[in-house]
Amino acid sequence: MNSEKIDQLLNWINDLSDKTEAEVEELRVKLLGKKGEITQLFDEFRTILPEQKREFGQRLNILKKAAQEKIEELREAAASVCSPEKSSCLDTTMPGNSLDLGSRHPISLTREEIINIFKKFGYCVAEGPEIEDDWHVFGALNFPPEHPARDMQDTFFISTDENRVLLRTHTSSVQVRTMEKQQPPIRVICPGRVFRNEAISARAHCIFHQIEGLYIDENVSFADLKQAILLFAKEMFGESTQIRLRPSYFPFTEPSAEVDVSCNICKGKGCNICKGTGWLEIMGCGMVDPNVLEASGIDSKKYSGFAFGMGVERIAMLKWQVKDLRLYFENDVRFLREFETL
Ligand code: PHE
């Protein structure tokens, strides 16, 4: 009897690892099947001399046991591996893991829509800091020293020493920064968050979003302003939209106006959204005051321009007839889901 063969087989068996279920079955046949190598050794065992039987009998039993245990171990390991071919692991009746897609916030949607309209008209987007100094929010914009906006009641101040630091109350500060950096022609829109010290209600919030615009070139007139706003209103609220300008006052524009659009809900007949007037206020605007141009180093004899500013929440409220501004900030998913498909 070949004793070396027994040792070799035993070592080979001990080293076996990582088999598929089919390979384990092949291995069982190869070793322990009817013509298997170990089975053959047992056949051979019957023919050896009686004095050798004790030694070989023990060694063959150890070999057979090692083979059986190894096969069992490999079979269990193979069964626990999950593979797509194995129908037992893949339960196609189980509900899938659906990926919940988020949706764009209505304020982002509106902001983007407004920006895209002005981009078509050739405006660039300009951005600036939310924490500002007095000069960029008030001084450069012709606010007199005693103007109420400069009061703690209306503005959030971070420091009130000589170089006052505050949260911007409008994005006109970005227009000032643009004029300081760039000579006309200037055509920018300035979207961003602004802050005002106001009690939160259905119609007002201490944080909201604005988009302001500035157009400066030679010979820019009030007619250009009116035309730009009319085009915007038609793009935003529909082709049949009309606008009307009412005289108003801002320190940084002269003349100034408040813009109304014809109510797109009742088509001007009067409803509860437009409070029976047929008109909805959407923005403030005006011709840039020469003092403002000069403060930023632009020659007011050569250049003129117009500016306008609107609240994104207000436009979004009108567009979707949302009656309470606070809904935009509470982020209740039931509200946000209504904008999922937009
Ligand atoms: N800055 C003004 C505001 O915040 C809006 C505005 C901008 C008005 C430009 C006129 C011209 O209310």
Side-chain angles (χ1 to χ4, degrees):
M1 183 148 217
N2 188 343
S3 123
E4 234 172 69
K5 171 130 197 227
I6 298 175
D7 288 341
Q8 270 173 10
L9 255 181
L10 191 59
N11 286 338
W12 184 76
I13 289 167
N14 285 335
D15 286 346
L16 289 172
S17 65
D18 286 345
K19 301 273 179 233
T20 64
E21 282 180 319
E23 287 168 342
V24 176
E25 181 53 18
E26 240 172 66
L27 182 71
R28 190 193 63 78
V29 174
K30 175 182 156 71
L31 294 174
L32 301 167
K34 267 201 182 129
K35 296 206 171 101
E37 291 184 43
I38 296 176
T39 316
Q40 279 179 17
L41 285 171
F42 270 94
D43 288 345
E44 216 179 291
F45 175 74
R46 280 196 227 113
T47 64
I48 62 172
L49 296 171
E51 57 266 35
Q52 290 183 316
K53 287 221 164 154
R54 193 182 151 82
E55 186 204 336
F56 279 108
Q58 267 181 359
R59 291 177 61 190
L60 281 181
N61 278 333
I62 289 171
L63 179 66
K64 188 175 178 183
K65 199 162 172 248
Q68 284 169 335
E69 281 174 5
K70 187 58 135 189
I71 286 166
E72 203 41 49
E73 176 195 317
L74 292 174
R75 186 173 283 147
E76 268 173 31
S80 67
V81 176
C82 221
S83 68
E85 307 89 64
K86 254 194 236 163
S87 55
S88 61
C89 293
L90 189 74
D91 183 352
T92 50
T93 64
M94 292 275 283
N97 295 330
S98 67
L99 271 182
D100 273 347
L101 272 190
S103 57
R104 310 278 317 274
H105 193 281
I107 295 303
S108 303
L109 290 169
T110 312
R111 176 185 189 270
E112 196 149 296
E113 193 176 343
I114 299 169
I115 289 176
N116 285 341
I117 292 171
F118 282 104
K119 273 189 179 166
K120 272 198 283 188
F121 299 165
Y123 287 69
C124 297
V125 173
E127 287 185 329
E130 292 176 349
I131 297 175
E132 268 290 7
D133 50 41
D134 187 279
W135 172 252
H136 289 97
V137 176
F138 301 127
L141 288 160
N142 205 31
F143 277 78
E146 73 288 357
H147 193 282
R150 294 184 150 187
D151 191 347
M152 298 281 259
Q153 239 89 66
D154 294 281
T155 301
F156 290 113
F157 287 95
I158 293 169
S159 85
T160 46
D161 58 22
E162 222 174 293
N163 306 310
R164 303 208 296 179
V165 180
L166 48 104
L167 295 179
R168 67 182 178 194
T169 56
H170 51 188
T171 59
S172 303
S173 52
V174 185
Q175 310 186 8
V176 173
R177 287 184 181 276
T178 307
M179 288 188 284
E180 283 173 348
K181 277 197 301 255
Q182 190 189 326
Q183 280 296 309
I186 294 174
R187 228 181 279 174
V188 286
I189 41 166
C190 313
R193 266 197 306 190
V194 299
F195 308 83
R196 289 184 196 176
N197 195 352
E198 290 197 43
I200 297 170
S201 71
R203 297 176 58 89
H205 208 287
C206 56
I207 303 174
F208 60 99
H209 299 79
Q210 269 194 332
I211 296 188
E212 296 215 352
L214 177 69
Y215 189 129
I216 304 176
D217 206 340
E218 288 177 38
N219 303 317
V220 177
S221 71
F222 200 89
D224 298 322
L225 165 63
K226 207 176 148 190
Q227 194 59 21
I229 289 171
L230 178 63
L231 278 176
F232 163 74
K234 284 178 178 290
E235 291 272 334
M236 192 75 204
F237 298 104
E239 189 49 39
S240 60
T241 309
Q242 291 175 301
I243 61 165
R244 121 182 139 171
L245 301 181
R246 285 178 287 110
S248 185
Y249 173 78
F250 299 101
F252 36 89
T253 46
E254 184 59 38
S256 307
E258 216 78 64
V259 181
D260 296 340
V261 289
S262 51
C263 179
N264 57 348
I265 297 147
C266 61
K267 304 281 174 248
K269 282 195 212 78
C271 64
N272 63 348
I273 299 282
C274 61
K275 297 201 195 78
T277 64
W279 295 96
L280 300 161
E281 186 188 320
I282 58 158
M283 66 168 98
C285 67
M287 299 306 290
V288 182
D289 192 303
N291 288 345
V292 173
L293 296 175
E294 296 293 339
S296 295
I298 291 174
D299 183 353
S300 65
K301 303 233 162 41
K302 186 164 177 213
Y303 295 110
S304 57
F306 61 76
F308 54 87
M310 66 192 106
V312 181
E313 279 80 359
R314 170 121 188 111
I315 303 281
M317 280 171 94
L318 297 178
K319 201 167 164 72
W320 288 302
Q321 291 144 47
V322 174
K323 294 209 179 88
D324 193 329
L325 187 85
R326 288 168 290 195
L327 285 165
Y328 290 126
F329 297 91
E330 283 161 3
N331 287 331
D332 184 329
V333 285
R334 290 168 299 182
F335 173 70
L336 297 181
R337 283 215 178 104
E338 294 188 27
F339 302 90
E340 227 159 27
T341 54
L342 298 172

